[in-house]
Amino acid sequence: MSSDKPLLSQFEPSYAPNPQPHHHRRHSSLKNNSLGCLSEATPISSWVAHETQNCKAYNLKESEENFAPAEGKTISANFLERPTLQPAGKEFWSAELHKQCPPRERKRLVSWGGVMDLRHLKALEISGASSSRVQDLNRPQTSRRSERFLQISMQLEENIPHHDNPRLIHINDPKKTNDKFGFSGNEIRTSKYTLLNFLPKNLFIQFHRVAYLYFLAIAALNQLPPLAVFGRTVSLFPLLFVLTVTAVKDGYEDWRRHRSDRNENNRETLVFQLNEFHPKRWKKIQAGEVVKIRSDETIPCDMVLLGTNDSSGIAYIQTMNLDGESNLKTRYARQETNKLVLEGTTISGVVRCEQPNRNIYEFMANMELKGQRFPLSQSNIILRGCQLKNTEWAIGVVVYAGQDTKAMLNSAMSSSKRSRLETYMNRETIWLSVFLLIMCVVVALGMGLWLKRHETQLDTLPYYRKNYFQKGKEGKKYKYYGIPMETFFSLLSSIIVFQIMIPISLYITMELVRLGQSYFMIGDQHMYDSSSNSRFQCRSLNINEDLGQIRYVFSDKTGTLTENKMEFRKASIWGKNYDNSYPDADALLDKDVEAKDVTVDRRKWKLKSEITPDPELMKLLYKDLSGEEGIAAHEFFLTLASCNTVIPILSESSSSGCDGVLGGSPVSIDYQGESPDEQALVAAASAYGYTLFERTSGHIVIDVNGEKIRLEVLGLHEFDSVRKRMSVVIRFPNHTIKVLVKGADTSMFSILHNDRPAEDHIRHVTQVHLNDYSSEGLRTLVLASRDLTGEELAEWQRRYEDACTSLTDRSVKLRQTAALIECNLTLLGATAIEDKLQEGVPEAIESLRQAGIKVWILTGDKQETAISIGLSCRLLTADMNQIIINGNSENECRKLLCDAMAKYNVNSTSCSSQITKLRRKAEPDYLELPSQTKSSSMPQQCEGEEDTPNFGPLALIIDGNSLVYILERDLESELFDLATSCRVVLCCRVAPLQKAGIVDLIKGRTDEMTLAIGDGANDVSMIQMADVGVGICGQEGRQAVMASDFAMGQFRFLKRLLLVHGHWNYQRIGYLVLYNFYRNAVFVLMLFWYILCTAFSTTSALTDWSSVFYSVIYTSVPTIVVGVLDKNLSDKTLLKYPKLYAAGHRQESYNMSLFWITMVDTLWQSLVLFYVPLFNYRESTIDIWSMGSLWTIAVVILVNVHLAMDIQRWVFVTHLAIWGSIIVTYGCMVVLDSIPAFPNYGTIFHLVKSPAYWLSILLITVIGLLPRFIFKVFHQTFWPSDIQIAREAEILKRRRRRHIGSKTDEVSS
């Protein structure tokens, strides 16, 4: 930003309005400006009036609470002059405005660049833009976003706590705390059931599946005497079996949870009682009690830290159990309480804190102690599940216990995703239901017509005699209900007989198959990451097959494509570039005697990662600190060493003291921090002689050239996504007060001095250096500083204290406070850090693109850095036409989009089919999707590869600032049309919600499958929005992993996950569903033909048990085995030819055509199955039960041989399952036919002696499968698919290898 821009950053709301360029008198000097940014000569009220005239549309208001002076303090005249203060908590306003306010910008509503900080406001900040805007939210938002995206936005809002009713915790007085408020105890319960509610609750959950209700209704109908087709017990067996298996599984899982809860609740810790610490079980701990934790113990509840064994009150904790991060974090006890703890004094006070909420990264509270009130923040609380490390003991007061702890509030499972193929399966299930209804209506009408025709003969005809004859005598009478009711009962009876047309076993089969597939995916050694010792994880079993149909991959950059292991490479200091990559830097240093001494001093600290310093910069630092350049370099590295939250971990005990450390042998030092960037910068400062080796809540100690400097930390404004910078207020030993700031260039250049022409050149050169660094793929930060006067410090401290103790809108007030000192800065320089690409990333991206998968990168890095990484990973190529969208207004973005679409012939409406034909000819790898998968709103030219024949491939590069304007409905269409016409899309400087918005843009407008992959907390919303979410076990914790469906250690594993396991899973599940439909339908149709030949009587030739066992025992195991183990192609072939993955895009394994072909084949096989035995035994006197026994074994053999024809990979287990199921069927029939009570007693023993029996089975198998065999032969011969061609190539290769091997054996013999 140029020097005439406003001083305050565009990102923070402030009560210090930005001066306009013509207000030169406001920049006169710091001495005349109490805040360094506001001029006493220009009242705020007049400034607001002037800006209102210019912008007419902005309603600038601010909370009175933000400006109210603390009790007993005064406020400067500048703030007392404000005439327009509003009631507290209503509205706030942004810090920076444009010099002009275009009319279209006044309608902007929502920020896509950051998360809202307030709940009940009528104004929102827009971050990521060139300026913050006050937004009017009177217009409804539902028309502006899709429902899915609103859900994520609302989830984020729900995590923002209410502070109207703070929680009061009386320290060391649990009785007073809990008697008045009745807080939750510390006993936790993660189980879902108890002994009393297990049965009803589990059944209630299971019957949420509509199919279960269907079979329950069938079983209930069968209990009615007129409808009792099957035995009443037998009819319940399938449903009871499914319910029992699921209940046992749920019960076992819940029993394990009960056991875990019991072990957790019965753990012990020390609690202060009767003036001593006594052991107490966790479940009995209450809010208000004082708890003592020893080293390596787990924290039992959320506690505010009161004191530690360290005099500075510092404690180190590990939060791995909470967020998966293994690096240590610091927590501090207030000096007021830590001193009392060390003295052994009993503490009595009140903690006022926010109500329990899920936000583990924020805590707002204050403490009243001896009449004083001081703030508490996230750095003062330790959460349940964390572990105390490198600290002998720590004491705290319980503020949240049990179910109120943040860990328990975050333990809820995210909603499960649903497979796309399962959705299509439901469509086919509806068709099967229609077939079922048609068959039942045919049977019912047939029965009614037959009864009407033979109404006078019912006493003499079989099946319908009114009287029941027994031993030649007339017995009891049948209940005859008349033709209408008999017809209705026949309809219901038919539904019972044909019930398995809807395969209830399919649900269990799919779950078991997915479980087996997950087992093999987890055990795949090719997806094991040895560097992080992490295996592939399947966190969701519902969407395995979706991995085979992915069309879009949305990837984060840092930590996903790159290693997220930062290395300091270059620095720009006071306008001069310094390169850190000198291979012989140490040799160059040794040429100088003084440099040798520097090296000796520096080697007192042994860093975990050695960094080779620039010799010229080292010489500047240790020889010339008098000039401007030397002073800037000195402050530059002081800023690196102090403006961070890094924790130095020394190999020796801290009790040895600083002097002892500095005077002894080399000390190993390891830096622990939440950000790898910070760790790299602090390590770089140490390499140049500025070693941070001690940090407490109130001070840091830095070894500068062997000289120990103790710096007092007066305050720290941590980095946030709105300000995009971090600052620390430091008091030096000479009592000088400085503000040291580092941040993104977009947020830093706007707050530098703009009235110093001498520094303009330095700023310009630094900007050039930043562009050069970004073009090399390096991550950049800008450093600046300024001195604070006593008045500025006093005003800032008062505001800072008020903001820190506030329980309402603390983050907003802290940003406003930071704006007071983060202005009029002096530029020191910039840093460049290298984040190397992960191994195999370019190859993986190239393979995914060959597979027809579009890879989009969504990153928060600079545009130049993203482009450089895109080139490195082969996502961008030199022949691509880059379309860059960097707009600062809605009109500008619209113009850029329209110009790009016009230039490259991208149509926003439906295009002619001729364009698609031209593109198909121009691109040999053009992949056209089936018509049923295309979105009606998607242009035809956007369906295949994305570039047009008249131009080279296109690459769209867009920044988050532009997305602020574009992600509105009126520009979303243009962005969608342009983006889907491009081969590559890079989104830079995007916020987490913008990532989710991009994913939702594709999901909402196409039927394509999307996958999002990331490694950090900022990727969670994107991962949850996509159809498939993949988390990377990286350096930024495990938030992404915990929110994902699948997790892996490296991005390169995505290639194998999709191209191999995704392809296998989709092919297996697709065939599994079709085969289950076929298997059940052929059985039902066989019964249907029989009923038509028995006067529509709904009687069955099969025993009740045979009907039940058919799906449960006779044919279930082969289906599961094939679904888990079958492979149509080897993994080597699938990886070698990525284009084979496009079979999933074309839905070759499961589509409507395959369904209808399967149903036609089923119809033929059922006719053969029924009429062949009827023809063979037409002259015999075979009884009906013998015929039913023949049909039972024939249908089992038929469907198993049908399955065997389609198996691509035969292994021992497959043979065992296929042929073993036939043997098991025979065994079960022998057992059932050996029971005298059954009507089919002895039938199997007579049948096997008849040649007609074996001839019938042979004819049924051959005739039934012959059309299918002929169809497959012709199809594979004349219209082979890519899969078939690749499979034949595999077979030929194996035969050739076997032939060569046999020849070798002959020669050797």
Side-chain angles (χ1 to χ4, degrees), residues 648-660:
I649 305 296
L650 308 182
S651 61
E652 298 182 6
S653 173
S654 60
S655 60
S656 59
C658 300
D659 295 329

Side-chain angles (χ1 to χ4, degrees), residues 146 148-149 995-1005 1025:
S146 71
R148 288 188 302 274
F149 189 79
K995 293 184 178 183
I998 292 294
V999 178
D1000 184 57
L1001 178 70
I1002 299 299
K1003 281 187 65 177
R1005 292 173 178 264
M1025 174 64 71

